[in-house]
Amino acid sequence: MNHKITIAIDGFSSTGKSTVAKRLAKRLGYVYVDSGAMYRAVTLYAMQNELINSELVNKAQLIEQLEGIEIDFKFNEDLGFAEVYLNGQNVEKQIRTLEVSQFVSQIATISEVREQLVRQQQKFGKHKGVVMDGRDIGTVVFPKAELKLFMTASAEKRAHRRYLELIERGDNVDYNAVLKNVQTRDHIDTTRADSPLTMADDAIEIDNSDMGLDEQFEYVLQLAEDKIKQCN
Ligand code: CDP
């Protein structure tokens, strides 16, 4: 018997959740879903449709237009992971900019947005065999997930990782702006009223401040394999 499980990975921004989740899904033959990409896609929609003016989000209009916002993932064979599409357009690159990062946490406080995205995320995980990363996966989206991980690292380490990522992509960013964004998002994500970022009681905490990517992956893979064995 090969009973598939649900793996929920939550944690602070730039803790390497998506890197480890992608690799884990590939190794296990599971589907990977980046829930943050969905909040980022809604944010990009708001930016493109002038629903953000002078740093303020026009919540009422965004909520009104929610039904017309379609988010899909399509697997890219060359890249080995699924890219995100907003109303039929590949927006994988556009959603990762610092500009989108600067508004995404505000957008993610809107309950109507969360409701719609959580419903879609639960559909993706209906048949198990899924690795999903985000902020509320183990607490709200899949409270019954068999394996829950919670990733942390110091804000400075995380900002440094994100800064290098953006520079490598060719984005001209300033380290202090990235650090400020990481800290601001931590604050908004942990203090919002709806589904704040918090560790589920049954999650395993991993502080990867001083862990290499391979070391972290091997550790997480072991946890997943042990859990899958237990569930079979
Ligand atoms: O990759 P990074 O750590 O920068 O963040 P992300 O996973 O792309 O998520 C971007 C933002 O979306 C977060 O800072 C949260 O505000 C929001 N988010 C959320 O509220 N719930 C989720 N399940 C995933 C992301």
Side-chain angles (χ1 to χ4, degrees):
M1 200 171 79
N2 193 10
H3 179 76
K4 290 189 169 180
I5 67 166
T6 300
I7 302 176
I9 307 185
D10 288 304
F12 293 95
S13 79
S14 318
T15 40
K17 298 184 301 289
S18 64
T19 308
V20 84
K22 258 182 218 162
R23 224 168 134 182
L24 186 63
K26 197 168 176 192
R27 175 68 76 91
L28 299 175
Y30 280 21
V31 171
Y32 164 61
V33 180
D34 176 352
S35 70
M38 300 169 74
Y39 290 93
R40 287 175 176 274
V42 173
T43 306
L44 182 67
Y45 175 92
M47 289 166 77
Q48 287 175 338
N49 291 276
E50 285 159 22
L51 300 179
I52 301 177
N53 293 310
S54 348
E55 315 240 321
L56 282 180
V57 177
N58 187 335
K59 280 192 192 179
Q61 275 208 29
L62 178 60
I63 293 167
E64 223 170 80
Q65 295 179 28
L66 264 183
E67 267 185 34
I69 305 179
E70 201 182 298
I71 297 166
D72 297 308
F73 288 95
K74 286 188 197 151
F75 195 78
N76 180 322
E77 295 284 346
D78 295 335
L79 296 173
F81 64 88
E83 293 180 296
V84 67
Y85 283 70
L86 170 63
N87 290 336
Q89 287 246 319
N90 183 332
V91 292
E92 184 60 35
K93 283 214 174 73
Q94 281 164 279
I95 61 163
R96 310 282 169 194
T97 60
L98 188 56
E99 285 75 34
V100 169
S101 296
Q102 268 152 357
F103 293 108
V104 65
S105 287
Q106 274 190 63
I107 298 282
T109 62
I110 305 171
S111 292
E112 288 81 353
V113 170
R114 304 202 68 83
E115 235 168 73
Q116 177 159 318
L117 298 187
V118 167
R119 215 177 305 130
Q120 194 177 353
Q121 289 152 10
Q122 288 171 335
K123 268 193 204 153
F124 287 141
K126 210 167 68 186
H127 302 295
K128 297 194 173 256
V130 68
V131 183
M132 194 174 294
D133 75 330
R135 302 292 186 285
D136 59 344
I137 311 304
T139 50
V140 175
V141 182
F142 300 125
K144 292 190 179 146
E146 289 85 349
L147 181 62
K148 298 181 186 176
L149 306 175
F150 191 86
M151 315 262 251
T152 63
S154 74
E156 288 73 17
K157 286 253 167 157
R158 292 187 281 125
H160 188 64
R161 289 175 188 157
R162 181 53 49 95
Y163 169 75
L164 292 179
E165 229 174 79
L166 290 167
I167 292 289
E168 202 167 298
R169 285 170 28 131
D171 290 3
N172 182 19
V173 289
D174 170 61
Y175 168 77
N176 287 317
V178 177
L179 177 62
K180 185 161 177 276
N181 177 251
V182 160
Q183 289 167 330
T184 306
R185 277 201 289 142
D186 284 358
H187 178 72
I188 302 176
D189 292 349
T190 51
T191 57
R192 70 181 174 219
D194 189 347
S195 321
L197 168 63
T198 167
M199 187 168 109
D201 293 338
D202 51 350
I204 299 167
E205 186 171 359
I206 303 173
D207 183 332
N208 63 21
S209 299
D210 298 308
M211 255 189 202
L213 282 179
D214 287 338
E215 189 187 349
Q216 179 176 342
F217 174 68
E218 292 304 330
Y219 178 63
V220 168
L221 179 64
Q222 192 61 55
L223 290 174
E225 285 178 339
D226 289 349
K227 186 54 87 176
I228 292 168
K229 239 184 248 160
Q230 250 181 48
C231 294
N232 274 283

